[in-house]
Amino acid sequence: KLIKYIAMQLLLLVVIIYARLVLYTSKRQIDNLHYIQKAKASKKNIIFAGWHGRLLMMPLLVNKSYRNKYSSAIVSSHADALILSKFLRSMQMNIIQGSTNENNIGALYRTLKIMKKPDNSLCVTVDGPRGPLLKVNSAIIEIAKYSDAIIVPVTCSFSRAKFLRCW
């Protein structure tokens, strides 16, 4: 167990260093920033919606200046999502465990409970790990509807990118 723990901590460190290195050495262009500013000015909660294959960069793109005071992310409770949960926690984000395939009612309940409180942001992937790829799952619409939150789509693109095969 100690070796597994050390390996996970090293992997987390590598992921954090890699993500920050990519972010800080890349030329960034933020389009439609006024939508994020308008959402923040409305004092409503914000749901940042992104694609599953671009998940790693979402908490860095949606940095503290764009998020509300409290930020959460919905993450699967599978063992392979453990490193992602730790990475998001290192970005000062709360974790809501569950997905549309597992513990979906519990995750939806916890999400709505959090999003009913003021000054919250939620980062969520809208196409889930099982697909279909780049097709929006209706759960985000329900969360926004019942929590009166604003959905702000976010994504990133890199000219020389390597994508992990999720499907």
Side-chain angles (χ1 to χ4, degrees):
K1 284 193 168 192
L2 179 61
I3 292 173
K4 186 176 180 180
Y5 175 79
I6 292 170
M8 287 296 278
Q9 295 299 355
L10 286 173
L11 182 58
L12 175 62
L13 183 62
V14 167
V15 168
I16 290 170
I17 290 171
Y18 172 76
R20 288 182 187 262
L21 182 69
V22 168
L23 183 73
Y24 295 127
T25 59
S26 299
K27 179 181 173 186
R28 285 175 271 168
Q29 174 182 330
I30 301 173
D31 294 327
N32 301 317
L33 184 60
H34 63 282
Y35 289 117
I36 296 173
Q37 292 165 337
K38 186 177 177 181
K40 276 193 67 98
S42 75
K43 303 292 185 193
K44 288 187 175 188
N45 289 339
I46 303 170
I47 300 173
F48 292 101
W51 300 122
H52 190 267
R54 292 156 193 249
L55 180 64
L56 182 64
M57 299 309 287
M58 190 187 297
L60 295 173
L61 293 170
V62 183
N63 66 31
K64 287 184 178 181
S65 61
Y66 305 132
R67 298 187 306 215
N68 286 334
K69 185 175 181 183
Y70 306 104
S71 296
S72 301
I74 300 175
V75 179
S76 169
S77 56
H78 284 284
D80 59 348
L82 181 63
I83 193 72
L84 175 63
S85 295
K86 290 182 179 225
F87 173 68
L88 293 172
R89 281 190 186 106
S90 77
M91 301 289 134
Q92 291 80 44
M93 297 184 79
N94 299 313
I95 303 303
I96 302 167
Q97 286 194 319
S99 70
T100 54
N101 297 322
E102 60 178 46
N103 193 15
N104 55 359
I105 300 300
L108 182 61
Y109 173 77
R110 287 188 301 278
T111 301
L112 289 174
K113 188 175 176 182
I114 288 170
M115 293 301 287
K116 288 279 187 180
K117 296 176 184 174
D119 213 14
N120 274 283
S121 297
L122 177 69
C123 287
V124 63
T125 56
V126 293
D127 60 344
R130 293 190 184 179
L133 178 64
L134 303 178
K135 300 285 185 208
V136 176
N137 179 313
S138 64
I140 189 171
I141 307 299
E142 297 301 317
I143 293 169
K145 178 178 158 185
Y146 290 110
S147 64
D148 194 32
I150 297 172
I151 299 172
V152 177
V154 294
T155 191
C156 63
S157 186
F158 299 93
S159 58
R160 287 176 272 157
K162 301 282 187 222
F163 291 95
L164 299 174
R165 296 204 33 93
C166 301
W167 281 271

